[in-house]
Amino acid sequence: MNRVDFTVAIHTYNGETRLPDVLDRLKSQINTENFSWEVIVVDNNSTDMTAKVVENYQAEWSKVIPLKYVFAPKKGVKFARERAVEKARGELIGFLNNDNLPDSEWVSQAYYFSKNNPQVGAFGSQIHGDFFEQNSESKLPENLKEIACFLAIVERGNQPHLYDSKHKILPPSAGVVVRKQVWQQAVPKTLCLNHTDKVTELASENLEVLRNIQQAGWEIWYNPAMVVYHKIANSQLKRDYLLNLMRCVGLSRHGLRKMTLQSWQKSLAFPGYIGNDFRRLTLHSIKNGESIKVDVLAHYQTEFFWKTIKSPLLFWYKQKKAKTKAPNYQSLPQDEYCLEQIATAFEEKSFILHAQNILSIGDEDFHGKHLEILLRLQDKTGNIMLPGEFIPTAERYNLMRTIDQWVIVNLFTQLSQAAQSNSNCVYEINLSAASVNDEKFIKFLHQQFDIYEISPETISLGISESIVIANMKQVAKLISVFKEIGCKFTLDHVGRANLMPDYLKQLPIDYLKIDGRLVKGLTNNQENIRGIEQIHNLGSKLGFKTIAEAVENMRIIEFIKSLGINYAQGYGIDYPQPLILNGNKIKMENSNLNTFNSQIIQPVAA
């Protein structure tokens, strides 16, 4: 593997509209001929088309400067940056967010600064605000300049200088460059300021990283020759956004302060910090008086002081909460393994679509195919992982929306290539609770039908009974929207006949799929037979077709056929097989469906 001098790591979450501007700037970098560099896009579990944007750019990207897609399965900037450090091949890593536009010499200036200053472990850029939206400010309003650093605007002159640890000032994450080896040696795996979402009420994880580097003996500098433009939306200058920002920063203060103290100092320093914070708040209140209510800057600073005072209490609460949760993390090693496999599957396209035939066994004449789309994951050793091995971890780490979208995009891609050859086939796609509850999913699915020109009549969306019962309002909306354009719906894993009349009448679905646990024990369990009869009879009254899953032998097929079930699915009919293209036709390899069709003509002896 060739050596790489510099890696640009772009962290993004749902950045499909912002990412192209950053990539276009990186395509236009100059004075980089004398060193090697690469670009990696670190997708922090986006639910938009970020991966597709990167794929499109890769198709036309220079082969000399690799562009790679990296998937970070855990939410949070710190986790995304750890993933970047793990995947980066460069000796230096320059971090950009998807709203950071680097100047044309940003890469070269970073590289040569590091060469001329080997004692520097990390260094930050000069960052100008880019107020890009219509009716936006041309520059940062005067009354907000005192908190410009919190908005990642850093204009500290045109001369490089050291960030002195005594002054407790450090660069923001936008445009910061770190030596990979320094990060690996100085930054611990577990930080106290991991910011995964607004609920955490913490921020400043970048400052925690840099503080660790500083305490390890490395210098941190400001390099004004590296220029970055930070795109700032109008909403980021609004009261609510800025108040939340100041609160997050204030609540993080205790964690940063603890880092500079020895263990014996912490208990002694705590009263001093509290006293000084109250003194600053009091002086601020006396100075500004009633103007705090109308002066926006004074109001933001008041919030900052109050949250700084509350910061130790928040950390105490979080530590206590973490201890009570500790017993629940026994499966962490398996989770970590699965997360790595899932992340690699997104990066290396090692998810695989399988399909299983659903056979018509009723009296009606049915000439088309009906397939359930299934997902498999090929791990690094080439072994195939079944959904039961990785889906539980994906659910715990909120990855299911992303996985659902991958399935839809890749199925639609294959169907669009197969053109009209499969118009008489129904493809059943299973949806997770995360997708059902995502307000953006409806828009996403509409877009995919339009982009790939897929006939909605060929798609059946499968939702399990438990998800329907728990999310009736959202399910009803989803069905209403896509029924209107022709989609079919399958109610999956139906096993509670006593609950069905209360909700089925509200849902215009097409198929009831009977839970395999009922079907497997059908031949020697009268209670199972009665349950299946109830489900089928109710479905028939409401005009729904019934599907029996987990059909494993001919005895079961005879029973369910005698009960009037319309369709059968299971290993006795067809094993799941990779879904592939054969010319212009979708087919499955090694299907045993034809063999089974010839068998069911002849009844099995009792």
Short mmCIF file of all heavy atoms in Angstrom, two decimals, residues 522-565:
data_model
loop_
_atom_site.label_atom_id
_atom_site.label_comp_id
_atom_site.label_asym_id
_atom_site.label_seq_id
_atom_site.Cartn_x
_atom_site.Cartn_y
_atom_site.Cartn_z
N LEU A 522 -48.46 -26.61 13.34
CA LEU A 522 -49.83 -26.75 12.86
C LEU A 522 -50.35 -28.19 12.89
O LEU A 522 -51.47 -28.45 13.31
CB LEU A 522 -49.91 -26.19 11.43
CG LEU A 522 -51.22 -26.36 10.68
CD1 LEU A 522 -52.31 -25.54 11.34
CD2 LEU A 522 -51.06 -25.94 9.23
N THR A 523 -49.54 -29.14 12.45
CA THR A 523 -50.06 -30.48 12.19
C THR A 523 -50.42 -31.25 13.45
O THR A 523 -51.14 -32.24 13.37
CB THR A 523 -49.03 -31.30 11.37
OG1 THR A 523 -47.79 -31.33 12.08
CG2 THR A 523 -48.84 -30.68 10.01
N ASN A 524 -49.93 -30.85 14.59
CA ASN A 524 -50.24 -31.60 15.83
C ASN A 524 -50.69 -30.70 16.96
O ASN A 524 -50.52 -31.03 18.13
CB ASN A 524 -49.02 -32.42 16.27
CG ASN A 524 -47.78 -31.56 16.46
OD1 ASN A 524 -47.87 -30.34 16.41
ND2 ASN A 524 -46.64 -32.20 16.66
N ASN A 525 -51.26 -29.55 16.61
CA ASN A 525 -51.66 -28.60 17.65
C ASN A 525 -52.99 -27.96 17.24
O ASN A 525 -53.04 -27.11 16.35
CB ASN A 525 -50.57 -27.53 17.83
CG ASN A 525 -50.81 -26.65 19.05
OD1 ASN A 525 -51.93 -26.19 19.30
ND2 ASN A 525 -49.75 -26.40 19.81
N GLN A 526 -54.06 -28.39 17.92
CA GLN A 526 -55.39 -27.88 17.59
C GLN A 526 -55.52 -26.39 17.86
O GLN A 526 -56.23 -25.68 17.14
CB GLN A 526 -56.44 -28.64 18.41
CG GLN A 526 -56.66 -30.07 17.96
CD GLN A 526 -57.15 -30.12 16.51
OE1 GLN A 526 -58.02 -29.35 16.10
NE2 GLN A 526 -56.56 -31.03 15.72
N GLU A 527 -54.80 -25.90 18.87
CA GLU A 527 -54.86 -24.47 19.18
C GLU A 527 -54.27 -23.65 18.04
O GLU A 527 -54.80 -22.59 17.67
CB GLU A 527 -54.11 -24.19 20.49
CG GLU A 527 -54.26 -22.75 20.97
CD GLU A 527 -53.60 -22.52 22.31
OE1 GLU A 527 -53.35 -23.51 23.03
OE2 GLU A 527 -53.34 -21.36 22.64
N ASN A 528 -53.17 -24.14 17.47
CA ASN A 528 -52.58 -23.45 16.31
C ASN A 528 -53.52 -23.47 15.12
O ASN A 528 -53.65 -22.48 14.39
CB ASN A 528 -51.25 -24.12 15.93
CG ASN A 528 -50.13 -23.76 16.88
OD1 ASN A 528 -50.38 -23.37 18.01
ND2 ASN A 528 -48.89 -23.88 16.43
N ILE A 529 -54.17 -24.61 14.90
CA ILE A 529 -55.12 -24.71 13.78
C ILE A 529 -56.24 -23.70 13.94
O ILE A 529 -56.61 -22.99 12.99
CB ILE A 529 -55.68 -26.14 13.68
CG1 ILE A 529 -54.56 -27.12 13.30
CG2 ILE A 529 -56.81 -26.21 12.66
CD1 ILE A 529 -55.00 -28.57 13.32
N ARG A 530 -56.79 -23.63 15.17
CA ARG A 530 -57.88 -22.66 15.42
C ARG A 530 -57.40 -21.23 15.21
O ARG A 530 -58.12 -20.39 14.65
CB ARG A 530 -58.43 -22.85 16.83
CG ARG A 530 -59.31 -24.09 16.99
CD ARG A 530 -60.08 -24.03 18.30
NE ARG A 530 -59.18 -24.02 19.46
CZ ARG A 530 -58.72 -25.12 20.06
NH1 ARG A 530 -59.08 -26.32 19.61
NH2 ARG A 530 -57.92 -25.04 21.10
N GLY A 531 -56.17 -20.93 15.66
CA GLY A 531 -55.64 -19.57 15.49
C GLY A 531 -55.49 -19.20 14.03
O GLY A 531 -55.85 -18.09 13.62
N ILE A 532 -54.98 -20.14 13.24
CA ILE A 532 -54.81 -19.87 11.80
C ILE A 532 -56.16 -19.71 11.12
O ILE A 532 -56.34 -18.83 10.26
CB ILE A 532 -53.98 -21.00 11.16
CG1 ILE A 532 -52.54 -20.95 11.68
CG2 ILE A 532 -53.99 -20.88 9.63
CD1 ILE A 532 -51.67 -22.09 11.22
N GLU A 533 -57.11 -20.56 11.49
CA GLU A 533 -58.46 -20.44 10.92
C GLU A 533 -59.07 -19.08 11.22
O GLU A 533 -59.69 -18.45 10.36
CB GLU A 533 -59.36 -21.55 11.47
CG GLU A 533 -59.10 -22.92 10.85
CD GLU A 533 -60.04 -23.98 11.42
OE1 GLU A 533 -60.29 -23.94 12.66
OE2 GLU A 533 -60.52 -24.83 10.65
N GLN A 534 -58.92 -18.62 12.47
CA GLN A 534 -59.48 -17.32 12.85
C GLN A 534 -58.85 -16.19 12.03
O GLN A 534 -59.56 -15.28 11.55
CB GLN A 534 -59.25 -17.08 14.34
CG GLN A 534 -60.10 -17.95 15.26
CD GLN A 534 -59.74 -17.76 16.72
OE1 GLN A 534 -58.72 -17.16 17.05
NE2 GLN A 534 -60.59 -18.27 17.60
N ILE A 535 -57.53 -16.24 11.89
CA ILE A 535 -56.84 -15.19 11.14
C ILE A 535 -57.28 -15.21 9.68
O ILE A 535 -57.59 -14.17 9.09
CB ILE A 535 -55.31 -15.37 11.24
CG1 ILE A 535 -54.84 -15.13 12.69
CG2 ILE A 535 -54.58 -14.42 10.29
CD1 ILE A 535 -53.39 -15.51 12.94
N HIS A 536 -57.34 -16.41 9.10
CA HIS A 536 -57.72 -16.52 7.69
C HIS A 536 -59.17 -16.09 7.47
O HIS A 536 -59.46 -15.35 6.51
CB HIS A 536 -57.52 -17.95 7.19
CG HIS A 536 -58.04 -18.16 5.80
ND1 HIS A 536 -57.45 -17.59 4.69
CD2 HIS A 536 -59.13 -18.86 5.33
CE1 HIS A 536 -58.11 -17.92 3.61
NE2 HIS A 536 -59.13 -18.70 3.96
N ASN A 537 -60.06 -16.52 8.34
CA ASN A 537 -61.48 -16.18 8.17
C ASN A 537 -61.70 -14.68 8.30
O ASN A 537 -62.47 -14.09 7.52
CB ASN A 537 -62.33 -16.93 9.19
CG ASN A 537 -62.36 -18.43 8.92
OD1 ASN A 537 -62.12 -18.86 7.79
ND2 ASN A 537 -62.65 -19.23 9.93
N LEU A 538 -61.03 -14.07 9.26
CA LEU A 538 -61.18 -12.62 9.41
C LEU A 538 -60.60 -11.91 8.20
O LEU A 538 -61.20 -10.97 7.67
CB LEU A 538 -60.48 -12.15 10.69
CG LEU A 538 -60.52 -10.64 10.96
CD1 LEU A 538 -61.96 -10.15 11.08
CD2 LEU A 538 -59.74 -10.30 12.21
N GLY A 539 -59.43 -12.37 7.73
CA GLY A 539 -58.84 -11.76 6.54
C GLY A 539 -59.74 -11.87 5.34
O GLY A 539 -59.88 -10.93 4.55
N SER A 540 -60.35 -13.04 5.16
CA SER A 540 -61.24 -13.25 4.01
C SER A 540 -62.43 -12.31 4.05
O SER A 540 -62.84 -11.76 3.02
CB SER A 540 -61.71 -14.71 4.00
OG SER A 540 -60.64 -15.59 3.81
N LYS A 541 -63.00 -12.11 5.24
CA LYS A 541 -64.13 -11.20 5.38
C LYS A 541 -63.76 -9.77 4.98
O LYS A 541 -64.59 -9.03 4.44
CB LYS A 541 -64.64 -11.22 6.82
CG LYS A 541 -65.36 -12.50 7.21
CD LYS A 541 -65.82 -12.44 8.65
CE LYS A 541 -66.48 -13.75 9.07
NZ LYS A 541 -66.89 -13.72 10.51
N LEU A 542 -62.51 -9.41 5.28
CA LEU A 542 -62.08 -8.05 4.98
C LEU A 542 -61.44 -7.92 3.60
O LEU A 542 -61.00 -6.83 3.21
CB LEU A 542 -61.08 -7.58 6.06
CG LEU A 542 -61.64 -7.49 7.49
CD1 LEU A 542 -60.53 -7.18 8.47
CD2 LEU A 542 -62.73 -6.41 7.56
N GLY A 543 -61.37 -9.03 2.86
CA GLY A 543 -60.83 -8.98 1.50
C GLY A 543 -59.32 -9.10 1.42
O GLY A 543 -58.72 -8.70 0.41
N PHE A 544 -58.67 -9.66 2.47
CA PHE A 544 -57.22 -9.80 2.47
C PHE A 544 -56.82 -11.22 2.06
O PHE A 544 -57.50 -12.19 2.41
CB PHE A 544 -56.63 -9.53 3.86
CG PHE A 544 -57.04 -8.22 4.47
CD1 PHE A 544 -57.14 -8.08 5.84
CD2 PHE A 544 -57.34 -7.12 3.68
CE1 PHE A 544 -57.51 -6.89 6.42
CE2 PHE A 544 -57.72 -5.91 4.24
CZ PHE A 544 -57.81 -5.79 5.62
N LYS A 545 -55.72 -11.35 1.35
CA LYS A 545 -55.13 -12.66 1.06
C LYS A 545 -54.26 -13.08 2.25
O LYS A 545 -53.66 -12.23 2.92
CB LYS A 545 -54.27 -12.61 -0.21
CG LYS A 545 -55.02 -12.17 -1.46
CD LYS A 545 -56.08 -13.19 -1.87
CE LYS A 545 -56.73 -12.78 -3.19
NZ LYS A 545 -57.79 -13.73 -3.60
N THR A 546 -54.19 -14.39 2.49
CA THR A 546 -53.39 -14.88 3.61
C THR A 546 -52.17 -15.65 3.11
O THR A 546 -52.23 -16.38 2.12
CB THR A 546 -54.22 -15.79 4.54
OG1 THR A 546 -54.92 -16.75 3.74
CG2 THR A 546 -55.21 -14.97 5.34
N ILE A 547 -51.06 -15.45 3.82
CA ILE A 547 -49.81 -16.12 3.51
C ILE A 547 -49.35 -16.86 4.75
O ILE A 547 -49.29 -16.28 5.85
CB ILE A 547 -48.71 -15.10 3.10
CG1 ILE A 547 -49.16 -14.25 1.91
CG2 ILE A 547 -47.40 -15.82 2.79
CD1 ILE A 547 -48.23 -13.09 1.61
N ALA A 548 -49.02 -18.12 4.62
CA ALA A 548 -48.44 -18.89 5.72
C ALA A 548 -46.94 -18.93 5.54
O ALA A 548 -46.45 -19.37 4.49
CB ALA A 548 -49.01 -20.31 5.75
N GLU A 549 -46.19 -18.43 6.54
CA GLU A 549 -44.74 -18.49 6.46
C GLU A 549 -44.23 -19.72 7.23
O GLU A 549 -44.98 -20.38 7.95
CB GLU A 549 -44.11 -17.21 7.01
CG GLU A 549 -44.38 -16.93 8.46
CD GLU A 549 -43.75 -15.62 8.94
OE1 GLU A 549 -43.19 -14.90 8.09
OE2 GLU A 549 -43.82 -15.34 10.15
N ALA A 550 -42.97 -20.03 7.07
CA ALA A 550 -42.33 -21.18 7.73
C ALA A 550 -42.97 -22.52 7.32
O ALA A 550 -43.14 -23.42 8.14
CB ALA A 550 -42.36 -21.02 9.25
N VAL A 551 -43.37 -22.62 6.07
CA VAL A 551 -43.90 -23.88 5.55
C VAL A 551 -42.71 -24.78 5.21
O VAL A 551 -41.97 -24.52 4.27
CB VAL A 551 -44.77 -23.64 4.29
CG1 VAL A 551 -45.21 -24.97 3.68
CG2 VAL A 551 -45.97 -22.78 4.65
N GLU A 552 -42.53 -25.84 5.97
CA GLU A 552 -41.30 -26.62 5.88
C GLU A 552 -41.46 -28.01 5.25
O GLU A 552 -40.48 -28.68 4.97
CB GLU A 552 -40.66 -26.76 7.26
CG GLU A 552 -40.25 -25.41 7.84
CD GLU A 552 -39.57 -25.53 9.19
OE1 GLU A 552 -39.68 -26.61 9.81
OE2 GLU A 552 -38.95 -24.55 9.62
N ASN A 553 -42.70 -28.46 5.08
CA ASN A 553 -42.87 -29.80 4.48
C ASN A 553 -44.24 -29.91 3.83
O ASN A 553 -45.10 -29.03 3.96
CB ASN A 553 -42.68 -30.90 5.54
CG ASN A 553 -43.60 -30.69 6.74
OD1 ASN A 553 -44.82 -30.63 6.60
ND2 ASN A 553 -43.00 -30.58 7.92
N MET A 554 -44.47 -31.04 3.13
CA MET A 554 -45.70 -31.25 2.39
C MET A 554 -46.91 -31.43 3.30
O MET A 554 -48.02 -31.07 2.93
CB MET A 554 -45.55 -32.49 1.49
CG MET A 554 -44.60 -32.29 0.32
SD MET A 554 -45.18 -31.03 -0.81
CE MET A 554 -46.73 -31.73 -1.33
N ARG A 555 -46.69 -31.95 4.47
CA ARG A 555 -47.81 -32.12 5.40
C ARG A 555 -48.42 -30.77 5.77
O ARG A 555 -49.64 -30.61 5.81
CB ARG A 555 -47.34 -32.86 6.64
CG ARG A 555 -48.49 -33.31 7.55
CD ARG A 555 -47.95 -34.08 8.73
NE ARG A 555 -47.23 -35.28 8.29
CZ ARG A 555 -47.84 -36.42 8.01
NH1 ARG A 555 -49.16 -36.51 8.09
NH2 ARG A 555 -47.14 -37.48 7.64
N ILE A 556 -47.54 -29.81 6.03
CA ILE A 556 -48.03 -28.47 6.38
C ILE A 556 -48.75 -27.84 5.19
O ILE A 556 -49.80 -27.21 5.35
CB ILE A 556 -46.86 -27.57 6.85
CG1 ILE A 556 -46.30 -28.08 8.18
CG2 ILE A 556 -47.32 -26.12 6.99
CD1 ILE A 556 -45.10 -27.30 8.68
N ILE A 557 -48.22 -28.02 3.99
CA ILE A 557 -48.87 -27.41 2.82
C ILE A 557 -50.28 -27.95 2.64
O ILE A 557 -51.20 -27.22 2.27
CB ILE A 557 -48.02 -27.61 1.54
CG1 ILE A 557 -48.46 -26.64 0.44
CG2 ILE A 557 -48.13 -29.00 0.99
CD1 ILE A 557 -47.95 -25.28 0.58
N GLU A 558 -50.48 -29.23 2.89
CA GLU A 558 -51.82 -29.81 2.75
C GLU A 558 -52.78 -29.23 3.79
O GLU A 558 -53.93 -28.92 3.47
CB GLU A 558 -51.74 -31.33 2.88
CG GLU A 558 -51.11 -32.00 1.67
CD GLU A 558 -51.13 -33.52 1.78
OE1 GLU A 558 -51.39 -34.04 2.89
OE2 GLU A 558 -50.91 -34.18 0.77
N PHE A 559 -52.28 -29.07 5.02
CA PHE A 559 -53.13 -28.50 6.07
C PHE A 559 -53.55 -27.08 5.72
O PHE A 559 -54.74 -26.73 5.80
CB PHE A 559 -52.39 -28.51 7.41
CG PHE A 559 -52.68 -29.72 8.26
CD1 PHE A 559 -51.94 -30.88 8.12
CD2 PHE A 559 -53.71 -29.69 9.19
CE1 PHE A 559 -52.20 -31.99 8.90
CE2 PHE A 559 -53.98 -30.80 9.97
CZ PHE A 559 -53.22 -31.96 9.82
N ILE A 560 -52.58 -26.24 5.38
CA ILE A 560 -52.94 -24.83 5.15
C ILE A 560 -53.80 -24.68 3.90
O ILE A 560 -54.66 -23.79 3.83
CB ILE A 560 -51.68 -23.94 5.07
CG1 ILE A 560 -50.77 -24.35 3.92
CG2 ILE A 560 -50.92 -23.94 6.38
CD1 ILE A 560 -49.61 -23.39 3.70
N LYS A 561 -53.59 -25.58 2.91
CA LYS A 561 -54.43 -25.51 1.71
C LYS A 561 -55.87 -25.89 2.06
O LYS A 561 -56.83 -25.27 1.57
CB LYS A 561 -53.87 -26.43 0.64
CG LYS A 561 -54.53 -26.24 -0.73
CD LYS A 561 -53.80 -27.02 -1.81
CE LYS A 561 -54.46 -26.75 -3.16
NZ LYS A 561 -53.80 -27.48 -4.26
N SER A 562 -56.02 -26.88 2.93
CA SER A 562 -57.37 -27.29 3.33
C SER A 562 -58.08 -26.21 4.13
O SER A 562 -59.31 -26.15 4.17
CB SER A 562 -57.30 -28.58 4.15
OG SER A 562 -56.69 -28.35 5.41
N LEU A 563 -57.29 -25.33 4.79
CA LEU A 563 -57.88 -24.24 5.56
C LEU A 563 -58.21 -23.03 4.68
O LEU A 563 -58.80 -22.06 5.16
CB LEU A 563 -56.91 -23.80 6.67
CG LEU A 563 -56.61 -24.85 7.76
CD1 LEU A 563 -55.55 -24.32 8.72
CD2 LEU A 563 -57.88 -25.21 8.51
N GLY A 564 -57.81 -23.08 3.41
CA GLY A 564 -58.13 -21.99 2.49
C GLY A 564 -57.06 -20.94 2.36
O GLY A 564 -57.29 -19.90 1.72
N ILE A 565 -55.88 -21.16 2.98
CA ILE A 565 -54.80 -20.18 2.89
C ILE A 565 -54.43 -19.96 1.42
O ILE A 565 -54.40 -20.90 0.62
CB ILE A 565 -53.57 -20.66 3.69
CG1 ILE A 565 -53.94 -20.95 5.16
CG2 ILE A 565 -52.44 -19.65 3.61
CD1 ILE A 565 -54.46 -19.76 5.91
#
